[in-house]
Amino acid sequence: MQQHTAAADAASPSPPSAATALALTLGIVVLIGGFLAVGSALKLEPLYAAFLLLWFWTSVDGTRFNALPATVIGAFGGLANSYLLQSGTHGGNSALAVLALLLMVFALFMLIAQRLPILFNPSYMLFLTVLNAPLIQQGESFAKVMAATAFGIVWFGASAWLAQQVIARRQGSALTPAA
């Protein structure tokens, strides 16, 4: 159960007005619609992994640009680990499958020990968990997942940066991407 203090309540921002929330919602719908349209036109599929990364970066990392490198590196690390497992199990290479499983255990250790967090972090584990679902492991093209995720990073990262620049300009100050 969360305890609330006066200092914590004063530090947390107040919720946006209904009009601001509506404007943000419509902007996000347009942003996602554009992503789906351009991604489809570029024949990028599946796009779900880009949304997975977007959710993690916005919800867990608070859309902080200084958190984006570890989020991206961790995501691609988890993706690569999942690809190793798929390659081993579907290619009949039991040694590769065992290597992938040992790497999963090692990644878990590194996460718990908080070592090399640029790679072994919650983003790694999220992608590892989702991409190792049996349905995905059955026949997903990890090269396509990687391409769609990279496109999502560029699309959503650039969009968030532009949005921050517009907000900063309206507030009369310039924000840097590290903010």
Side-chain angles (χ1 to χ4, degrees):
M1 195 164 166
Q2 243 182 348
Q3 293 182 349
H4 293 281
T5 64
D9 289 342
S12 64
S14 59
S17 68
T20 300
L22 178 61
L24 285 170
T25 301
L26 292 175
I28 291 168
V29 167
V30 169
L31 175 70
I32 289 173
F35 173 75
L36 292 171
V38 173
S40 294
L42 294 173
K43 307 272 190 255
L44 291 172
E45 58 177 43
L47 295 173
Y48 70 86
F51 287 113
L52 190 63
L53 190 121
L54 174 66
W55 171 84
F56 188 90
W57 183 49
T58 57
S59 297
V60 176
D61 288 337
T63 321
R64 290 177 299 114
F65 283 95
N66 62 350
L68 192 56
T71 298
V72 169
I73 292 167
F76 282 124
L79 195 155
N81 197 162
S82 298
Y83 173 70
L84 281 177
L85 182 62
Q86 183 197 53
S87 296
T89 56
H90 290 259
N93 186 339
S94 57
L96 188 57
V98 168
L99 176 65
L101 292 171
L102 289 173
L103 181 55
M104 286 180 201
V105 173
F106 179 73
L108 179 60
F109 167 79
M110 294 295 279
L111 180 71
I112 292 168
Q114 299 179 20
R115 303 291 191 271
L116 199 59
I118 189 81
L119 173 61
F120 299 110
N121 55 46
S123 179
Y124 184 107
M125 291 302 176
L126 176 64
F127 273 72
L128 183 67
T129 301
V130 171
L131 296 176
N132 277 309
L135 185 61
I136 292 173
Q137 278 287 315
Q138 280 181 340
E140 193 68 270
S141 165
F142 283 92
K144 288 182 178 182
V145 172
M146 191 172 289
T149 303
F151 173 64
I153 292 164
V154 172
W155 182 273
F156 293 119
S159 299
W161 183 81
L162 285 171
Q164 286 188 357
Q165 296 305 306
V166 168
I167 291 166
R169 190 162 287 169
R170 286 186 177 177
Q171 294 175 345
S173 64
L175 288 177
T176 62

